[in-house]
Amino acid sequence: MMRLILVDFLILFAFLFLIIEAVPTPAITLETDIQERDTTTKPSSEQQQAKRIERRGGNGKRKGPGGRKKKGEGGLPKYFHEPGGSELGNHYDSRFEHGIQDYADRKNTQLHMLRAYLTFFHENHLETWLAHGTLLGWWWNGRMLPWDWDIDTQVSGSTLNYLGDHYNQTRYDYQSDEEVPVKRTYLLDVNPAIKERERGNGNNIIDARWIDTRNGLYIDITGLSETHPDDQPGVWVCKNYHRYKTMDLYPMRETMYEGVVAKVPYAYDRILANEYASKALVITDYEGHRWDPIVKEWLPKSDEELKEDRRIREEKERAEEEAEERKKEKEAEEEMHKQVEEGKKRKAKEDAKKELAKQKADKQAEVQRQKEMQQRMKGANTRGQHNHGPEHAHENEAPLGPQGGKEKSVDHTDSHKTQPPGGSASDMSQASRPGDVFKKPDNQSTDEEAPLGPPQRGRQEFS
């Protein structure tokens, strides 16, 4: 019995194993982050890994510092091309351009092109809304700004992918409901680079275009995607670095624009203020047009008004240049004054240093002079002691006479003793000074005169 139960268990286990192996595992592709998915649930670890791999170039290795591609590195080549040559030439598609339209033709082209675009999206239940300068024109009077060559619209990333899968290269035949109908054909061209939701090399920031096949004028269509839902949820960005929050976009407001149904973002005023500043919502004189509050339109100015505007603008520019020149002169004068003051301060500081150095040198010289005087006085006292001290009497003996003997001198230390023969007391007193010559008595035979040395001490003998 137990053996049968064990056999049944093994058979059941093998059957389950075969079922699990037979179920295919969904492959992880590099398009995970750009496909439509439920943003309310957190992506799986496999999806996050696939997303990181795609951002690093498809092989998981970082490119350049920080793993970011350098500007212009890699990526797809530019898809949409414009003839260029001028600022206006950049608003035409090269495949259909046949020259620059004049003011009236451009306005007529843009009017019907926008109506056809909004009608097409409304008929196919596709969501799109006004953006940038087109949204600003709606804010003023529900119409396009007459000086604006750009018409800009936006769609979500999921709508963009749907357009690429189902409506790419669609040609739409349009007919207006006017008394004399306008018939035109438009091309919906979706950029193959829509799967690349980062800016990349900047060649393909425009995701799709709605093109008038008669002259090449177009509407730019850009997609908004949550490119970083893990760390920046609810932040929608396009490839041109415009960023929006979900609460600013949704719920969309339905309105009328150029006579047809259109949609605008929920917080349109905040979006416009962030993009153009509040001044764009109040200025009434711009690009050769003035706002007429009665008819609620931007009207082109007359030639006289344009001429007056040029004069005022030139005067304003001239006044600004003069003010800038005065400002530079004032700054130069202040800089010169500052340098003069700094020079004076430096000179005063140097003079003070020199004065301190001079005072210090004078003081040192005075101290040295006093030391020298003290040393000279000390030396003089020492010599005086040597000349008059009893212990140094032998150093002051009289020099030897011509006969080789010492000159006999008279001891005059005691004034009460008898004067020596041949001289008086005054003679002795005179001869006792150093350097004086002692004149010998006449009874001595020598004619030489010898200097008188110090008196010889001893007793005098008298006859």
Side-chain angles (χ1 to χ4, degrees):
M1 186 65 181
M2 292 295 296
R3 186 175 298 176
L4 292 175
I5 294 175
L6 181 60
V7 172
D8 292 340
F9 178 77
L10 291 175
I11 294 173
L12 179 61
F13 180 78
F15 181 72
L16 292 175
F17 179 77
L18 291 175
I19 292 176
I20 293 174
E21 288 294 324
V23 176
T25 303
I28 300 173
T29 66
L30 301 183
E31 300 176 358
T32 304
D33 65 323
I34 58 175
Q35 293 176 348
E36 183 180 9
R37 59 190 176 88
D38 186 4
T39 57
T40 59
T41 60
K42 186 176 180 180
S44 64
S45 59
E46 290 83 6
Q47 290 174 328
Q48 295 181 19
Q49 179 65 20
K51 190 173 181 179
R52 284 193 294 269
I53 290 173
E54 183 184 10
R55 290 176 185 169
R56 294 182 182 183
N59 57 6
K61 296 182 180 180
R62 292 181 178 272
K63 291 193 175 184
R68 295 181 179 273
K69 291 182 180 181
K70 296 180 181 179
K71 186 176 181 180
E73 176 187 349
L76 297 174
K78 183 176 174 63
Y79 180 73
F80 293 116
H81 293 274
E82 304 79 26
S86 66
E87 177 63 24
L88 298 181
N90 292 328
H91 299 283
Y92 292 84
D93 189 283
S94 298
R95 295 168 291 181
F96 306 100
E97 181 264 337
H98 302 292
I100 305 299
Q101 305 295 304
D102 60 23
Y103 184 87
D105 289 342
R106 175 178 61 84
K107 286 191 65 177
N108 181 270
T109 297
Q110 289 179 324
L111 173 65
H112 292 286
M113 181 168 57
L114 182 62
R115 286 179 176 177
Y117 172 84
L118 294 175
T119 302
F120 172 82
F121 271 73
H122 182 72
E123 290 175 350
N124 292 279
H125 308 286
L126 299 170
E127 185 181 58
T128 185
W129 58 90
L130 310 180
H132 309 312
T134 308
L135 179 62
L136 181 62
W138 167 84
W139 187 89
W140 279 96
N141 60 353
R143 302 182 65 180
M144 289 180 291
L145 296 172
W147 60 83
D148 193 3
W149 284 75
D150 289 327
I151 299 179
D152 297 294
T153 61
Q154 291 175 337
V155 296
S156 66
S158 58
T159 301
L160 184 62
N161 286 324
Y162 191 82
L163 288 175
D165 294 337
H166 299 87
Y167 292 99
N168 190 21
Q169 300 302 314
T170 296
R171 286 183 177 263
Y172 179 71
D173 294 324
Y174 164 82
Q175 179 175 323
S176 68
D177 56 358
E178 299 172 342
E179 185 175 340
V180 179
V182 174
K183 296 182 180 181
R184 290 170 188 174
T185 301
Y186 301 96
L187 171 67
L188 176 59
D189 193 358
V190 181
N191 192 328
I194 60 172
K195 302 296 184 183
E196 194 178 79
R197 296 318 303 150
E198 301 284 352
R199 182 182 178 90
N201 56 18
N203 287 335
N204 297 288
I205 61 175
I206 302 301
D207 293 308
R209 277 180 177 172
W210 182 263
I211 306 170
D212 189 330
T213 57
R214 298 178 309 116
N215 50 36
L217 283 171
Y218 56 79
I219 296 175
D220 277 334
I221 306 171
T222 54
L224 300 183
S225 303
E226 288 184 282
T227 55
H228 300 282
D230 301 332
D231 53 357
Q232 295 181 2
V235 177
W236 300 71
V237 298
C238 69
K239 295 181 183 178
N240 206 24
Y241 300 132
H242 293 287
R243 305 168 65 87
Y244 309 90
K245 295 181 179 179
T246 302
M247 65 180 65
D248 291 339
L249 295 173
Y250 296 99
M252 290 286 171
R253 298 175 184 264
E254 193 169 276
T255 182
M256 297 296 291
Y257 187 68
E258 290 291 359
V260 293
V261 177
K263 289 184 178 180
V264 296
Y266 179 77
Y268 58 85
D269 49 351
R270 182 160 54 240
I271 290 175
L272 289 173
N274 290 337
E275 185 171 355
Y276 295 102
S278 301
K279 185 178 181 181
L281 306 180
V282 295
I283 190 171
T284 58
D285 192 320
Y286 194 75
E287 289 291 330
H289 292 76
R290 57 180 176 81
W291 173 252
D292 189 329
I294 299 177
V295 298
K296 297 186 183 303
E297 284 190 24
W298 287 96
L299 302 179
K301 293 184 177 181
S302 63
D303 293 340
E304 290 76 12
E305 290 177 319
L306 293 175
K307 184 177 180 181
E308 181 65 16
D309 287 346
R310 283 194 298 269
R311 185 188 67 79
I312 295 174
R313 185 169 57 253
E314 290 173 357
E315 289 182 356
K316 183 179 179 180
E317 292 175 355
R318 187 163 50 250
E320 290 177 351
E321 291 177 357
E322 292 176 356
E324 185 67 20
E325 188 67 25
R326 287 194 298 270
K327 181 180 178 181
K328 291 181 179 179
E329 292 177 357
K330 184 177 179 181
E331 290 176 352
E333 184 179 352
E334 291 177 352
E335 182 66 21
M336 183 180 298
H337 180 71
K338 182 180 178 180
Q339 292 179 358
V340 171
E341 292 297 324
E342 289 179 353
K344 290 181 180 179
K345 290 180 180 179
R346 284 195 300 268
K347 187 175 183 304
K349 192 174 182 180
E350 292 174 357
D351 293 344
K353 287 182 178 180
K354 290 180 181 179
E355 183 64 23
L356 290 174
K358 183 177 179 300
Q359 293 177 2
K360 184 177 181 180
D362 292 345
K363 186 175 180 180
Q364 291 177 350
E366 179 64 21
V367 171
Q368 185 65 24
R369 188 179 66 81
Q370 292 180 0
K371 286 183 179 180
E372 292 176 355
M373 290 182 61
Q374 291 176 0
Q375 290 177 357
R376 287 198 297 269
M377 291 178 64
K378 185 176 180 180
N381 292 337
T382 303
R383 286 194 298 274
Q385 291 177 2
H386 288 174
N387 292 336
H388 301 290
E391 62 276 10
H392 301 286
H394 62 280
E395 296 179 2
N396 298 315
E397 292 179 353
L400 296 176
Q403 302 302 324
K406 294 181 180 180
E407 294 290 342
K408 185 179 288 186
S409 60
V410 180
D411 186 0
H412 56 279
T413 58
D414 296 328
S415 59
H416 63 280
K417 294 185 178 181
T418 307
Q419 298 180 5
S424 63
S426 60
D427 293 333
M428 292 179 63
S429 63
Q430 293 178 359
S432 64
R433 294 193 295 271
D436 291 347
V437 179
F438 177 74
K439 194 171 184 180
K440 294 186 177 182
D442 295 334
N443 57 358
Q444 295 186 9
S445 59
T446 181
D447 296 329
E448 295 180 359
E449 293 182 354
L452 180 63
Q456 300 293 329
R457 296 184 183 277
R459 296 179 62 185
Q460 296 287 344
E461 294 181 358
F462 298 95
S463 57

